[in-house]
Amino acid sequence: MNETFNIHEYDHYLIMFSGGKDSTASFLHLLDLGIPISKIELWHHLIDGKEHRFMDWECTEDYCRKFADAFLVPIYFSWKQGGFEGEMLRNNTPTKETYFETPDGLFHSGGKGKANTRFQFPQLSANLSQRWCSPYLKIDVAASAIVNQPRFNGKKVLVISGERAEESPSRKHYLFFETDRADNRNGRKKRHVDRCRIIHHWNEKRVWDIIAVYKIIVHPCYYLGYGRCSCKWCIFASPSQVATSFALSPKQGAKIAEYEKQFGKNIHPGIDLGSYSSKGLVYEGVFQFPSIAAQAISRNYLLPIFCDNWILPAGAYKSFHNH
Ligand code: SF4
């Protein structure tokens, strides 16, 4: 912990809000710490861009919007034009523009970089230069949206993200507090930007406990049995997660499998997506809760955000890789 860090000293609190349990807990923790809601913004990066859905859950965008509405907190979406699929299919072209919503409307930046060719899925690696989805579709998008908004110039901004040490060996080494890459405190813009991983030291129980206290209905995927609310077809998904995603969205799965053939390279080294999926079992939640399954793959989230009788979802306490 940085000894000079005082969480109450910022003008803006930007929560990188995926719609998953950890970013939800980070937001609720800020409320518990007494940060005025008028200074908080939720920021969600649309992995697939604005139009179609290829890798991500259909309901996530609207779930995040309804969550923000329920707390009367603003939410701003940002995305790379063409999203995951567009970036994956780059063929001697620059990466596309970043679009970002702001209080003053929609803006865009970038899209004039070096030409490059991908034609492959992100590689399963902690190295972000190979696992291109996180940097190109989230980290760079956030940084671009901060540095291109003059409203942050001369202000103190705290970026909050929900990584926790217990999630993985690489996340264990992430810092609780550091200067954010969008910082310009010594430059012309005088934009002071720090990053705080506010629940870095929390265990999963503490995450579910705060969600239970606020009686939040979490993202539908958790009730189906997914342990993490990542992309529906996350490259790190276990065989059972992929089997469940195939059961929910067979056409999407077939399209991803077709791309593996086209690229001559699988997501999971040495095994195609269909064979990988056959090593797992479809989560029972899909059969037990067909209406939640339908909700998960709908662009409109119609369930409430709060409930009276909170229950722990089936996906709680599942190790990411083993179930
Ligand atoms: S959730 Fe998985 S597939 Fe989606 S951006 Fe993150 S690492 Fe990539």
Side-chain angles (χ1 to χ4, degrees):
M1 171 110 48
N2 183 304
E3 285 171 13
T4 59
F5 171 57
N6 178 352
I7 198 164
H8 295 279
E9 280 182 346
Y10 291 83
D11 301 301
H12 300 275
Y13 297 82
L14 315 181
I15 301 186
M16 301 298 109
F17 187 73
S18 68
K21 66 181 189 311
D22 296 323
S23 54
T24 299
S26 302
F27 168 66
L28 300 175
H29 187 44
L30 276 200
L31 299 185
D32 282 358
L33 290 172
I35 304 300
I37 207 153
S38 58
K39 291 186 174 183
I40 300 176
E41 304 173 14
L42 304 184
W43 283 29
H44 180 86
H45 312 304
L46 295 166
I47 292 296
D48 286 319
K50 195 69 182 152
E51 307 306 330
H52 75 313
R53 290 293 166 261
F54 172 65
M55 286 293 276
D56 208 359
W57 292 99
E58 286 82 350
C59 72
T60 299
E61 178 181 358
D62 204 38
Y63 174 82
C64 293
R65 185 177 289 114
K66 301 275 168 61
F67 182 99
D69 290 350
F71 280 94
L72 302 177
V73 63
I75 184 163
Y76 298 109
F77 292 93
S78 45
W79 62 92
K80 182 174 286 289
Q81 179 77 356
F84 189 110
E85 192 175 12
E87 180 64 26
M88 181 179 77
L89 295 178
R90 270 173 73 188
N91 189 2
N92 198 25
T93 48
T95 192
K96 291 272 176 45
E97 302 95 328
T98 292
Y99 282 78
F100 50 94
E101 296 176 348
T102 78
D104 302 316
L106 180 65
F107 292 85
H108 65 92
S109 63
K112 299 187 190 88
K114 267 196 327 198
N116 205 345
T117 299
R118 288 207 189 278
F119 255 62
Q120 62 177 1
F121 284 94
Q123 302 302 290
L124 284 173
S125 166
N127 180 341
L128 291 183
S129 67
Q130 295 171 16
R131 178 162 52 97
W132 53 260
C133 47
S134 291
Y136 273 77
L137 305 173
K138 296 190 214 174
I139 300 168
D140 291 355
V141 169
S144 180
I146 295 172
V147 303
N148 285 295
Q149 291 194 55
R151 70 187 175 110
F152 297 131
N153 296 348
K155 294 285 167 59
K156 281 191 85 171
V157 178
L158 188 62
V159 176
I160 307 273
S161 55
E163 301 96 335
R164 291 183 301 111
E166 80 170 10
E167 288 181 287
S168 70
S170 61
R171 289 193 169 189
K172 188 174 173 191
H173 297 295
Y174 287 6
L175 296 175
F176 172 79
F177 178 87
E178 61 187 326
T179 302
D180 189 79
R181 57 185 284 192
D183 183 74
N184 182 255
R185 74 191 67 178
N186 298 319
R188 203 163 50 86
K189 305 276 174 70
K190 300 273 179 276
R191 186 181 54 239
H192 181 124
V193 190
D194 291 322
R195 176 172 292 255
C196 180
R197 299 183 176 88
I198 191 99
I199 61 164
H200 188 251
H201 51 295
W202 286 27
N203 61 18
E204 187 171 341
K205 180 173 184 314
R206 196 164 168 195
V207 170
W208 288 116
D209 282 351
I210 195 169
I211 289 171
V213 166
Y214 279 85
K215 295 184 183 293
I216 304 290
I217 296 182
V218 287
H219 187 287
C221 72
Y222 291 114
Y223 299 100
L224 300 179
Y226 290 75
R228 286 182 68 174
C229 179
S230 42
C231 291
K232 191 205 288 176
W233 298 96
C234 179
I235 56 169
F236 289 110
S238 67
S240 291
Q241 287 175 340
V242 175
T244 308
S245 297
F246 260 112
L248 290 167
S249 307
K251 281 194 190 152
Q252 231 175 18
K255 185 172 179 186
I256 293 171
E258 190 53 43
Y259 273 132
E260 284 192 329
K261 279 194 206 145
Q262 202 178 320
F263 300 153
K265 201 163 184 181
N266 300 323
I267 294 179
H268 303 275
I271 185 165
D272 65 84
L273 197 68
S275 306
Y276 184 75
S277 144
S278 66
K279 289 165 161 285
L281 290 173
V282 177
Y283 292 141
E284 283 178 14
V286 171
F287 311 109
Q288 282 174 337
F289 310 117
S291 59
I292 295 182
Q295 178 65 90
I297 56 170
S298 163
R299 292 294 292 262
N300 298 315
Y301 179 80
L302 300 174
L303 295 170
I305 294 296
F306 300 112
C307 60
D308 291 331
N309 301 309
W310 191 84
I311 55 158
L312 189 68
Y317 302 114
K318 274 191 178 174
S319 143
F320 187 44
H321 292 288
N322 298 331
H323 294 277

